[in-house]
Amino acid sequence: MKDLPVNERPQERLLKSGPESLSNAELLAVILRTGTKNRNVLDLCQQVLSEYSLKKLSRLSVSELKKTHGIGEAKACQIVSLFELSRRLESYTEEPKRLIKSPEDIFSFIYPKIREEKREKFIVLCLDTKNRVIREEVISIGSLNASIVHPREIFRPALMESAAAIVLIHNHPSGDPTPSPEDLDVTARIAGCGHLLGIEVLDHIIVGDGCFLSLKQEGKI
């Protein structure tokens, strides 16, 4: 797009006036970004849309799109992906958020996802004010220690989601959920940071082989 005057570049116009101000060709140009050796991206997109309506364009395969001059495999894949996302959005329905009422709820939610793990995986669940899961984030993979599991990595997703509380989870590949001194130290540090930030650490669940241990129930939080 560098060969276009700045005030005519679709991306700059989008940033200034919003996507609704752009033509179909300009919106497509933002997606494709580059034209060909002899044609800028906006001219290319205008050509494509003169050959196909939006509806027909949305149904073309990669191989069909590649028959258009200036559309190679990469651009064809971008166009196909764009319309596939649009189709998925039409049928998208919000999944119910998982409600957490007890340590057992946490275990049943996470165990199927990590029971085959051969390495320690540290996960944070971000919860809303009704204790529903709004985000699940893998913080680290490997032995649990304070240098890897830093509070800033723990609370970044929670702050992004405006979470009211978090739950800490990690597995012991040995199958024994008994907490180590390092487990207790990391938990205490994170809980202290949560208190300062106003984000409660509800629990730290250590997952073993078909079993778990709740540091909340053990009085360690």
Side-chain angles (χ1 to χ4, degrees):
M1 292 189 195
K2 292 182 179 179
D3 56 342
L4 292 170
V6 173
N7 62 347
E8 293 181 17
R9 294 175 187 173
Q11 184 168 315
E12 276 68 21
R13 288 189 3 89
L14 185 151
L15 292 170
K16 182 179 180 180
S17 304
E20 63 278 359
S21 67
L22 272 62
S23 67
N24 291 339
E26 288 173 320
L27 288 169
L28 186 58
V30 173
I31 301 296
L32 298 186
R33 300 189 61 190
T34 60
T36 64
K37 184 177 180 180
N38 301 314
R39 178 177 294 180
N40 67 48
V41 66
L42 189 53
D43 286 344
L44 174 62
C45 293
Q46 288 170 338
Q47 171 213 323
V48 170
L49 290 171
S50 69
E51 295 181 22
Y52 306 108
S53 67
L54 270 180
K55 187 172 184 179
K56 186 171 182 180
L57 186 64
S58 72
R59 295 174 176 174
L60 294 179
S61 66
V62 169
S63 59
E64 290 171 327
L65 283 164
K66 287 169 63 177
K67 295 176 183 177
T68 302
H69 180 69
I71 301 295
E73 187 170 86
K75 284 184 170 58
C77 288
Q78 287 174 291
I79 294 171
V80 168
S81 297
L82 166 68
F83 286 111
E84 177 60 26
L85 277 175
S86 178
R87 281 188 286 270
R88 293 185 187 188
L89 178 60
E90 289 179 12
S91 60
Y92 176 79
T93 55
E94 192 78 43
E95 293 183 2
K97 297 175 182 176
R98 185 66 172 260
L99 179 63
I100 300 298
K101 294 182 178 180
S102 67
E104 288 76 17
D105 289 340
I106 302 168
F107 177 71
S108 64
F109 175 72
I110 207 68
Y111 186 64
K113 303 179 183 183
I114 62 173
R115 61 184 170 193
E116 304 298 331
E117 282 290 334
K118 303 303 181 186
R119 294 177 295 172
E120 287 195 17
K121 179 178 283 188
F122 193 92
I123 299 168
V124 171
L125 299 184
C126 300
L127 310 180
D128 64 14
T129 54
K130 296 183 179 179
N131 281 3
R132 297 175 300 186
V133 178
I134 54 177
R135 182 165 174 174
E136 175 187 337
E137 189 85 3
V138 176
I139 302 300
S140 71
I141 298 176
S143 298
L144 182 64
N145 61 63
S147 63
I148 293 178
V149 183
H150 194 282
R152 66 170 171 265
E153 304 302 328
I154 299 292
F155 288 102
R156 181 180 289 121
L159 291 168
M160 290 176 65
E161 300 294 340
S162 299
I166 62 173
V167 171
L168 312 177
I169 304 165
H170 83 281
N171 62 309
H172 280 180
S174 67
D176 180 2
T178 303
S180 68
E182 192 72 34
D183 293 340
L184 299 176
D185 178 58
V186 168
T187 303
R189 291 177 64 244
I190 295 171
C193 292
H195 180 72
L196 293 174
L197 292 170
I199 300 175
E200 183 182 3
V201 178
L202 284 184
D203 207 340
H204 185 168
I205 299 295
I206 303 175
V207 178
D209 185 8
C211 58
F212 72 94
L213 182 141
S214 162
L215 292 186
K216 182 78 169 183
Q217 290 181 335
E218 296 291 314
K220 305 298 184 181
I221 295 180

